[in-house]
Amino acid sequence: MTDDLRARLAECFSAVFPELGEGEIPLASQASVAAWDSLGAVRLLSVIEEAFNISVEPGEQEELLSFDLVLDYLRSRTDVS
């Protein structure tokens, strides 16, 4: 499940940030990806919400600042399928 979750999340990142190489995605953070500005964050969360059929609360959105943090968040959600 974890590998599938990671792969699905990587697809979301790739869709929003196509300039990132496959090896760069797991290391991606708001600090390291120039396109991950406020608009990039909104686009990324929108893609993630659609891909995983979830709704991320506004207070939670501010904490999702890297690939690993988003992955941990998705792992913590019991309703992610």
Side-chain angles (χ1 to χ4, degrees), residues 13-67:
F13 270 76
S14 182
V16 176
F17 307 120
E19 68 278 5
L20 294 178
E22 188 175 325
E24 295 173 295
I25 290 174
L27 306 173
S29 71
Q30 207 168 33
S32 69
V33 178
W36 194 340
D37 54 14
S38 57
L39 181 58
V42 169
R43 289 179 54 225
L44 179 61
L45 286 173
S46 176
V47 169
I48 290 169
E49 287 177 330
E50 184 174 330
F52 292 95
N53 196 30
I54 61 170
S55 179
V56 180
E57 298 299 321
E60 297 170 322
Q61 295 173 2
E62 298 167 5
E63 300 173 16
L64 305 178
L65 304 176
S66 71
F67 180 88

